Amino acid sequence: MKALPFKLIPTLEARIEPSLIMKISSPILAIFLTLIVGSILFSLLGKDPLHAMQVLLVAPLSDAYNINEMLVKMGPLLLCAVGLAICYRANLWNIGAEGQLLIGALGGSAVALQFVDSSAWFALPLTLIAGVLSGMLWAAIPTLLKLKFNSNLILTTIMFNYIALSLLNWGVHGPLKDPDGYGFPESAMFSEATTLPLLFSEGRAHLGVLFALVLALMTAFLLSKSHLGFQIKVFGSDEAAAKYAGFSSTKLTWIVMLFAGALAGLAGIAEVAGPIGQLVPGISPGYGYSAIIIAYLGRLNPIGTILATLFMAVLYMGGDLAQIELGIPTAVIGMFQGVLLFFLLACDFFINYRLNFNKSNAAYAQ
Amino acid sequence: MDIDFITQILFAAIKTGTPLLLIALGEVVCEKSGVLNLGQEGMMLMGAVVGFLAAYSTGSAGLGIFGAIFMGATMSLIFAFLVLHLNTNQVATGLALTIFGTGLSAFIGSGVVGETIQGFQPIIIPLLSDIPVIGKIFFTHDLLVYISILLAIAIAYVTNKTRIGLILKAVGENPNAANAIGINVLKVRYLAVLFGGAMAGLSGAYMSLVYTPMWIENMTSGRGWIALALVVFASWRVGNIVLGAYLFGLASIMHLVLQGMGWSISSNLLSMLPYVATVIVMVIIGADHFKEKLLAPRSLGKPFNPRQMA
């Protein structure tokens, strides 16, 4: 029997340089693998996998209504993800987008509800500013605790997510509850003056989605062209070098965290002043957590994040459609997101390593 | 406040603290080996849902417990493979595990939301339970509470007094040195992570089989995260973890205490108490940075890469 010219079981070897091709293709590969796992899961559940994938990925883009709804989901996801991407670039483990979003919605609503019977032109800007400031405040507390008391940012931001949820529930059950609402835990409907204008003649896509896109592009520009963007990059990859270069880590931490808080706060107020139209307990189906995955999927790059958000919004929309058409609980989307991040992390391994099938130069990398 | 009320509160504090104790005991072993697994919440939820499903379909709470332990360990195996073999970032991988577990548990549990089962009956220990006040607080619990205390004693003994504990410590403090004297670092870390997963599963089962007993989406409500703070708070010492778990248990039922004392604060506001307590604890720990650095396993969160050694 003649020996094969290549090895059946490849050996693993370190790459000399990280692979740029792998860095870009890893998210695509991860999405592909996730869809394979999804297909297997759907087959096990007795659904036709091709039909399920069609419902999940194609149907959300099939008509004007679905595209509108998909854009509505894109808004908050993109805003949160861009903020988180910048944080992760600077090595700041901010998991608090969900809480910042909820508090943004709460704080903005408190202002919007002062204008229920008003048509003042400044009502909407004030509402949005209140939402942004509330989100910033909610990011500022863990930042302060980190800088002053060196407390763990991951755990404090997570705890602030839970505290935010309690506060939101308190708001809709207490001071912000609609007095004429028959006891439902909801605020009054916002007036026209505090509602974001719609983008198209039909559907629910609103100005907030446009804000998200513009802000993502602006962030991309600032990151690549400004000195601040450069500082963040250096700070994230080598903190010692950043300090040596005289960059203030305190200042950068504040800027990055407040920026992320502002974006998440805007996401929150844009949800209640946009598609929802009032403050309710269920504002976010975990947008702030999904944004973590989006940020990674988009390679912590604002432009990549736009593409990743598009995929995730389609998936969210597809999850809604799958529940209606296939009777699959929407929770399946959360599971897909987890699998996706697993695959992404695993594929990223091959940025720094490669499989060697070649018999002759196995020792080359050593 | 009479003595009966205080007795009831302390009894409830132990009951509420037990899931935290179970999961923190698993996590402390995992962290002692140098691995930080932020997937606690996801593993706990999976344990809770699988434990409930197993108990619901077989009618046996005992099988539910085994199912939950198995599920928790399986979940941690995914984490272990990614972190130990592919050297992925431990923080990101742990987060992925939590997101995955949250989604998957909601998915597979969607059919049994609101169903109830026969949970564990309390076991009243004869003689000891007759001691006034203390007897009621400590010796009228269900089986898992006693098991959690026995486990705490066993883990304290093994980590402090045995060769296994020494190996665990060596791997967590200095994996390169441990490797040099012939300890299989990856194997030790695999086992530690698996143990953490099994305990997280058991803790989840406590929630869905004993504490409530039913399955609700996201029913662990952050206990996995609180346990992570608890381990740091306890300076990686088992005795402190037991105390801390019961203290957090007390914080979690504080709203009942305050309502019992006639305070009228919104229950929505009071429900944030355990989380606020955790933040305060994080501030206290962080402020004593020197101590934390001294006590934390040296290689915590850092990958060990045998490929670089070769």
Side-chain angles (χ1 to χ4, degrees), chain B residues 96-305:
Chain B
L97 192 64
T98 287
I99 294 171
F100 174 66
T102 309
L104 184 57
S105 63
F107 178 60
I108 62 177
S110 57
V112 290
V113 173
E115 303 283 349
T116 51
I117 49 159
Q118 180 74 39
F120 278 89
Q121 295 300 314
I123 298 170
I124 290 145
I125 298 179
L127 295 177
L128 289 174
S129 61
D130 295 333
I131 306 169
V133 186
I134 292 173
K136 167 84 179 93
I137 297 172
F138 289 103
F139 301 109
T140 58
H141 283 281
D142 50 84
L143 183 64
L144 281 179
V145 173
Y146 303 130
I147 290 181
S148 69
I149 294 169
L150 291 179
L151 275 170
I153 296 169
I155 289 167
Y157 177 77
V158 170
T159 50
N160 291 323
K161 301 280 178 203
T162 65
R163 193 180 147 73
I164 297 173
L166 220 55
I167 291 174
L168 191 67
K169 200 169 180 178
V171 167
E173 293 291 329
N174 193 337
N176 292 334
N179 183 61
I181 59 164
I183 296 172
N184 186 339
V185 172
L186 287 189
K187 189 175 136 198
V188 172
R189 288 193 168 174
Y190 255 105
L191 291 173
V193 171
L194 271 177
F195 180 76
M199 291 296 282
L202 178 62
S203 163
Y206 189 87
M207 292 300 298
S208 66
L209 297 178
V210 182
Y211 195 70
T212 13
M214 53 160 67
W215 162 253
I216 310 157
E217 257 181 49
N218 263 324
M219 66 184 300
T220 54
S221 47
R223 283 181 173 78
W225 294 107
I226 293 178
L228 283 159
L230 177 60
V231 170
V232 187
F233 175 56
S235 324
W236 292 268
R237 287 195 183 124
V238 176
N240 295 349
I241 288 179
V242 178
L243 272 179
Y246 295 153
L247 273 177
F248 270 97
L250 190 63
S252 309
I253 53 160
M254 214 52 202
H255 60 285
L256 296 178
V257 180
L258 293 178
Q259 275 160 9
M261 286 161 64
W263 290 35
S264 61
I265 306 177
S266 150
S267 63
N268 287 309
L269 281 184
L270 289 174
S271 69
M272 68 171 71
L273 271 175
Y275 311 115
V276 174
T278 308
V279 172
I280 294 172
V281 160
M282 295 310 299
V283 169
I284 296 171
I285 308 165
D288 202 349
H289 187 47
F290 178 70
K291 195 175 141 206
E292 190 192 339
K293 264 208 152 151
L294 201 69
L295 294 170
R298 271 271 195 67
S299 72
L300 185 59
K302 293 184 196 124
F304 169 72
N305 189 351

Side-chain angles (χ1 to χ4, degrees), chain A residues 293-305:
Chain A
I293 297 168
I294 295 176
Y296 269 98
L297 201 60
R299 309 278 77 175
L300 307 187
N301 172 313
I303 302 292
T305 304

Side-chain angles (χ1 to χ4, degrees), chain A residues 65-345:
Chain A
Y65 171 81
N66 285 343
I67 291 177
N68 256 291
E69 287 301 299
M70 196 271 298
L71 287 173
V72 166
K73 291 178 199 302
M74 253 190 99
L77 286 172
L78 183 56
L79 283 169
C80 292
V82 168
L84 292 184
I86 310 299
C87 288
Y88 300 158
R89 267 185 179 231
N91 250 337
L92 291 165
W93 288 100
N94 173 12
I95 318 290
E98 182 80 2
Q100 290 146 22
L101 183 150
L102 297 181
I103 293 297
L106 182 68
S109 297
V111 170
L113 289 170
Q114 311 305 315
F115 295 98
V116 173
D117 302 314
S118 153
S119 57
W121 65 268
F122 52 81
L124 184 62
L126 268 186
T127 301
L128 293 179
I129 289 168
V132 168
L133 288 178
S134 308
M136 285 169 93
L137 172 76
W138 212 243
I141 308 171
T143 312
L144 184 75
L145 296 181
K146 177 187 161 59
L147 291 173
K148 279 271 171 218
F149 302 104
N150 186 43
S151 61
N152 181 310
L153 191 66
I154 301 173
L155 289 175
T156 45
T157 47
I158 292 248
M159 290 302 126
F160 270 76
N161 289 346
Y162 286 102
I163 298 171
L165 193 59
S166 296
L167 276 177
L168 174 67
N169 278 324
W170 166 74
V172 289
H173 282 96
L176 298 184
K177 188 161 86 176
D178 184 3
D180 309 319
Y182 307 103
F184 282 105
E186 296 169 350
S187 78
M189 289 301 291
F190 290 2
S191 70
E192 196 79 358
T194 49
T195 310
L196 284 163
L198 295 175
L199 287 180
F200 311 113
S201 55
E202 55 178 320
R204 296 200 300 166
H206 53 90
L207 196 59
V209 184
L210 200 61
F211 283 166
L213 276 170
V214 170
L215 281 165
L217 291 172
M218 271 171 55
T219 311
F221 180 77
L222 278 175
L223 266 186
S224 58
K225 299 284 177 231
S226 74
H227 185 55
L228 182 68
F230 176 69
Q231 287 191 3
I232 291 171
K233 242 180 248 172
V234 177
F235 186 65
S237 48
D238 191 344
E239 203 178 326
K243 276 184 182 151
Y244 187 71
F247 304 159
S248 157
S249 80
T250 311
K251 197 175 126 197
L252 276 175
T253 304
W254 273 117
I255 292 174
V256 167
M257 285 297 291
L258 289 180
F259 180 67
L263 290 189
L266 179 61
I269 186 58
E271 277 300 281
V272 287
I276 304 178
Q278 67 186 133
L279 190 66
V280 293
I283 299 167
S284 157
Y287 287 142
Y289 295 111
S290 306
I292 300 169
I293 297 168
I294 295 176
Y296 269 98
L297 201 60
R299 309 278 77 175
L300 307 187
N301 172 313
I303 302 292
T305 304
I306 297 178
L307 295 174
T309 306
L310 187 66
F311 173 74
M312 204 62 95
V314 167
L315 201 59
Y316 259 108
M317 189 63 208
D320 287 355
L321 294 175
Q323 183 167 36
I324 300 163
E325 288 196 21
L326 302 169
I328 294 168
T330 45
V332 75
I333 299 308
M335 188 200 69
F336 271 31
Q337 293 180 0
V339 174
L340 180 58
L341 190 48
F342 280 143
F343 276 128
L344 185 66
L345 291 165

Side-chain angles (χ1 to χ4, degrees), chain A residues 49-61:
Chain A
L50 277 178
H51 179 57
M53 284 302 140
Q54 191 264 332
V55 171
L56 216 51
L57 299 173
V58 183
L61 299 168

